[in-house]
Amino acid sequence: MKGLRLLLGGAGLLLIAIGGRLLADLPDPFDVLVWMGGALVLYDGFIAPLVLAAGLAVAAVPARGPVRGALLTAGVLVLVTLPLLLRPGAPPNPSALPLPYGRNLLLVLAAVAVAAAAVVAGGRWRRARARQDPKGTA
């Protein structure tokens, strides 16, 4: 385990060095530093409290597992899609947004919600069947 930690720590330090080198090669690294600072403020001021509030709300739900899975999947989908949706102007590559991503994101999020609801309903149905037939002969 110690060897794995050292390997991962070394890989992390190497990636930090590569990122620092790439940042130093930029003609104006100030924009990148502002973006990184903004991302840090956005995370600490908005995303982390939102995730904590969602975690507290989900803790009271009987079917926590499927709900947490659906929230995690939805969060990742939104994080992946949001930069493309919020970019001002036309995309530099016309194939970057060939479809209506806003509508499609909503459709995929609805599918995630339906799948989570189906998992919860299936679990309740199995528990109800087990209570009706305690010997498991059905």
Side-chain angles (χ1 to χ4, degrees), residues 8-72:
L8 291 175
L13 290 174
L14 178 66
L15 289 174
I16 289 171
I18 291 170
R21 172 71 184 191
L22 291 173
L23 184 63
D25 287 344
L26 289 176
D28 185 22
F30 182 73
D31 291 338
V32 174
L33 294 174
V34 168
W35 182 88
M36 289 172 64
L40 184 65
V41 168
L42 176 68
Y43 177 79
D44 286 345
F46 179 71
I47 295 174
L50 184 66
V51 169
L52 289 172
L56 287 174
V58 170
V61 174
R64 284 187 294 270
V67 174
R68 284 182 182 166
L71 286 174
L72 180 66

Side-chain angles (χ1 to χ4, degrees), residues 82-92 97:
L82 207 55
L84 290 173
L85 291 175
L86 296 180
R87 183 184 180 118
L97 291 174

